[in-house]
Amino acid sequence: MALYEYEHTETSTAPAAAIWPLWADTARWPEWDTAVRSVVLDGAFAVGSGGTMTMDGLPPIPFTLTEVTDGRSFTDETRLPDALLRFEHVLTDVDGGTAITYRVTIDGPDELGPQVTEDTSDAMRALARLAEASGGAGGDAPGPRVTASSRA
């Protein structure tokens, strides 16, 4: 087992107020993450609520919201028999828009981290574009910032 860490930031011209609803309405996640087939949240988008995410070729994956700061950030965790996956999602105001940052920490099998994060940047770009198309667009925004590491 290894500790895998990944971080990616996309900058969008959309304000945080246009991005947040796309996160908080989990039924909309498949609109911007093509690997996700459905997400069911049992309760409000609040700390302690749990749900399941169904992805291509996998059984439903359970998750729990462990941190929610309305309009700004949330963290969800998935506990599997051989791994703990933690996903942090943060919105930060920047000149001309919003920085959307995902941080993923996985304590599990070595190969799991790259598998889980391989399409993260594509999903984040799609999230940013969807928010911009929904009325939150400004001018050109800086490009993405990515860091990934694996520690044994």
Side-chain angles (χ1 to χ4, degrees):
M1 298 249 290
L3 183 65
Y4 175 86
E5 296 175 323
Y6 173 92
E7 180 174 308
H8 182 87
T9 297
E10 272 303 317
T11 304
S12 173
T13 57
I19 300 164
W20 182 257
L22 299 172
W23 276 348
D25 183 356
T26 59
R28 295 192 69 187
W29 290 7
E31 291 180 40
W32 47 268
D33 191 336
T34 59
V36 174
R37 291 294 143 240
S38 67
V39 179
V40 176
L41 185 63
D42 302 323
F45 196 82
V47 171
S49 290
T52 56
M53 178 184 306
T54 303
M55 302 180 79
D56 285 335
L58 297 173
I61 301 165
F63 68 92
T64 302
L65 296 174
T66 58
E67 180 275 329
V68 176
T69 301
D70 193 46
R72 285 293 158 193
S73 66
F74 77 96
T75 301
D76 63 272
E77 291 185 0
T78 295
R79 293 183 185 276
L80 302 174
D82 62 346
L84 173 63
L85 295 79
R86 183 169 198 236
F87 302 87
E88 297 176 66
H89 311 76
V90 180
L91 300 175
T92 307
D93 295 332
V94 296
D95 280 346
T98 306
I100 308 166
T101 300
Y102 278 30
R103 291 182 194 97
V104 181
T105 305
I106 300 173
D107 190 3
D110 291 342
E111 66 278 0
L112 188 58
Q115 290 173 355
V116 168
T117 59
E118 70 183 342
D119 64 349
T120 299
S121 60
D122 293 338
M124 291 178 66
R125 274 190 295 280
L127 172 66
R129 300 301 118 10
L130 184 59
E132 292 163 3
S134 68
D140 289 332
R145 186 174 65 238
V146 181
T147 58
S149 65
S150 179
R151 296 185 203 152

